[in-house]
């Protein structure tokens, strides 16, 4: 039978699927593209053209940085209504090195809101994290970095088939997905932070020595939204993750389990 089809949106500074590593600086989705091609037809699609989504089973928005137009959002909505699935890999902050981050919004809130999904403007920090090496002048040091959240299987929904083979995921500079009740929509939280996580609202301070906030909690990082009504079962599913960096070539080379 024909392979299922995956389309990556293009036109909003998303990660390139094809690039020499020197060109992308490791900031591409080249390794993801290569892995997906074993089991899927993979293409790049323009959301300006409604027909470009014909025959695409799952659409992935991988790290867009510029706002979507009304027409593009209308095409995504129509695609969902006719049974297409969408994976939103969205960042709330544009990060430069380890030094600064600016808030980022691509204008998809109005598309996600009817599904009870809102991407937080905050970054999540977690005592369960990866260590990162930093340079200050001539000195190089390694420190735990709460902004690089390490999600482990204890905080997965193990009953869901999507999570079957996932052991852990490292999310660099990730944002939680806030949930609201929405008519006829069922949410499944697939991945969460540890219960000791905390949030940092803009303006961001990316210092590794950032102190834990007074208020800690467990926050959703990956959420599946689908119709809870049998008569609308053919409507597409939405997977939202407040992070696109966990799948870049650079990150995968460090943390193979992300792939």
């Amino acid at each position: 039978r024909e392979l299922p089809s995956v389309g990556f949106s293009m036109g909003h500074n998303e990660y390139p699927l094809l690039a020499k590593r020197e060109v992308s600086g490791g900031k591409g989705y080249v390794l993801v593209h290569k892995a997906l091609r074993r089991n899927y037809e993979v293409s790049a699609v323009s959301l300006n053209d409604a027909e470009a989504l014909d025959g695409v089973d799952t659409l992935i928005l991988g790290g867009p940085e510029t706002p979507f137009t009304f027409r593009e959002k209308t095409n995504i909505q129509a695609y969902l209504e006719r049974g297409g699935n969408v994976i939103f890999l969205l960042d709330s902050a544009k990060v430069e090195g380890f030094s600064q981050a600016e808030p980022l919004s691509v204008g998809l809130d109005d598309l996600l809101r009817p599904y009870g999904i809102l991407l937080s403007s905050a970054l999540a920090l977690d005592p369960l994290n990866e260590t990162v090496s930093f340079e200050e002048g001539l000195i190089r040091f390694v420190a735990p970095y709460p902004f690089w959240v390490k999600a482990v299987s204890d905080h997965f929904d193990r009953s869901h088939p999507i999570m079957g083979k996932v052991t852990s995921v490292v999310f660099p500079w990730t944002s939680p997905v806030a949930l609201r009740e929405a008519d006829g929509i069922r949410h499944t939280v697939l991945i969460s932070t540890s219960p000791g996580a905390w949030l940092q609202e803009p303006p961001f301070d990316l210092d590794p020595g950032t102190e834990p906030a007074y208020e800690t909690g467990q926050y959703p990082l990956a959420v599946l939204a689908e119709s809870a009504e049998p008569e609308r079962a053919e409507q597409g599913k939405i997977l939202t993750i407040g992070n696109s960096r966990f799948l870049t070539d650079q990150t995968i080379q460090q943390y193979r389990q992300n792939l």
Side-chain angles (χ1 to χ4, degrees):
R1 90 180 185 81
E2 284 186 14
L3 293 173
S5 167
V6 173
F8 282 81
S9 71
M10 289 295 149
H12 294 273
N13 293 349
E14 294 96 334
Y15 293 105
L17 302 180
L18 294 167
K20 289 191 168 67
R21 188 164 180 275
E22 312 80 74
V23 178
S24 72
K27 295 182 175 70
Y29 273 2
V30 180
L31 295 176
V32 165
H33 180 225
K34 189 177 172 185
L36 285 173
R37 280 174 52 204
R38 295 180 199 134
N39 299 302
Y40 302 91
E41 292 284 346
V42 183
S43 61
V45 296
S46 164
L47 299 176
N48 265 320
D49 178 6
E51 291 180 3
L53 292 171
D54 290 349
V56 173
D57 297 302
T58 298
L59 170 67
I60 301 177
L61 281 66
E65 292 185 336
T66 59
F68 289 81
T69 63
F70 176 77
R71 180 179 179 180
E72 289 173 319
K73 289 188 276 191
T74 302
N75 288 341
I76 295 172
Q77 183 60 45
Y79 169 76
L80 277 163
E81 286 171 1
R82 62 177 186 263
N85 303 302
V86 184
I87 300 176
F88 291 95
L89 305 178
L90 305 175
D91 302 298
S92 286
K94 187 172 182 177
V95 179
E96 297 295 333
F98 284 87
S99 55
Q100 60 189 67
E102 296 295 328
L104 175 66
S105 172
V106 293
L108 291 173
D109 290 357
D110 53 346
L111 180 66
L112 292 169
R113 196 175 292 116
Y115 297 90
I117 292 168
L118 179 69
L119 184 63
S120 170
S121 60
L123 289 174
L125 294 85
D126 201 316
L128 198 59
N129 57 63
E130 278 296 334
T131 55
V132 174
S133 63
F134 299 89
E135 285 180 17
E136 275 190 10
L138 298 172
I139 301 170
R140 189 178 188 84
F141 64 97
V142 176
Y145 194 50
F147 287 97
W148 281 32
V149 176
K150 183 174 184 178
V152 296
S153 60
D154 287 357
H155 309 137
F156 293 170
D157 180 343
R158 272 283 168 224
S159 66
H160 202 283
I162 288 180
M163 302 308 297
K165 294 180 180 175
V166 187
T167 54
S168 66
V169 188
V170 177
F171 291 109
W173 301 291
T174 191
S175 294
V177 180
L179 301 178
R180 305 279 181 273
E181 277 195 29
D183 286 347
I185 300 294
R186 179 172 70 246
H187 293 135
T188 306
V189 177
L190 298 175
I191 303 178
S192 302
T193 65
S194 79
W198 69 100
L199 303 181
Q200 187 187 99
E201 296 283 352
F204 301 115
D205 175 8
L206 303 184
D207 190 290
T210 302
E211 290 295 318
Y214 175 70
E215 189 180 333
T216 58
Q218 190 162 28
Y219 300 95
L221 296 179
V223 176
L224 185 68
E226 57 194 312
S227 175
E229 300 168 350
E231 66 275 16
R232 295 177 67 199
E234 73 286 349
Q235 185 161 337
K237 299 181 175 79
I238 286 180
L239 174 60
T240 306
I241 300 178
N243 191 261
S244 68
R245 302 175 189 92
F246 78 105
L247 285 180
T248 63
D249 301 333
Q250 207 168 26
T251 309
I252 287 171
Q253 280 165 341
Q254 265 185 288
Y255 308 110
R256 292 295 300 180
Q257 72 271 23
N258 279 21
L259 194 55

